[in-house]
Amino acid sequence: MSSPNTESDATHSLADPSATHRDLLWILSQIGPSESGPLHHALTDYYTDRIDQAQVCDILKELIARNLVTKHVHDTPKYRLTESGRRALSARQAWQAGTHNAEGGHE
């Protein structure tokens, strides 16, 4: 049997976070490594409810704790998806599209 938990673990890691957490991961996957300011701007452009900068920073900390995002500091902190974050996002998208193999058999 080939690592039966890999895909389900990745999907599950995005099953619990809020939509805002998942949307922030999606934004990072689209724009690449970024400072928190542009991430905040992208979220506020999308959501009608107010999202403040501190809330974005808190979400980023939670995503770092889940090993879905890393923080790299050079001149300014930049956030980027980890490989686990990419797999989790990909598995979530497959699940949403209905292409996730529920029986765990063939891909």
Side-chain angles (χ1 to χ4, degrees), residues 60-75:
L60 286 166
K61 287 177 188 174
E62 291 171 27
L63 293 172
I64 290 168
R66 288 174 169 255
N67 191 35
L68 299 172
V69 170
T70 59
K71 177 180 176 181
H72 298 274
V73 179
H74 188 292
D75 293 330

Side-chain angles (χ1 to χ4, degrees), residues 33-96:
S34 180
E35 297 174 19
S36 64
L39 297 172
H40 174 249
H41 182 71
L43 284 174
T44 57
D45 280 352
Y46 180 68
Y47 284 97
T48 55
D49 292 342
R50 186 176 185 281
I51 297 176
D52 62 30
Q53 182 71 31
Q55 192 176 0
V56 172
C57 290
D58 288 343
I59 292 169
L60 286 166
K61 287 177 188 174
E62 291 171 27
L63 293 172
I64 290 168
R66 288 174 169 255
N67 191 35
L68 299 172
V69 170
T70 59
K71 177 180 176 181
H72 298 274
V73 179
H74 188 292
D75 293 330
T76 58
K78 286 201 175 185
Y79 299 89
R80 65 185 64 175
L81 287 180
T82 63
E83 187 56 38
S84 294
R86 289 184 207 294
R87 282 193 312 266
L89 192 57
S90 178
R92 172 74 180 192
Q93 291 168 326
W95 176 79
Q96 287 177 305

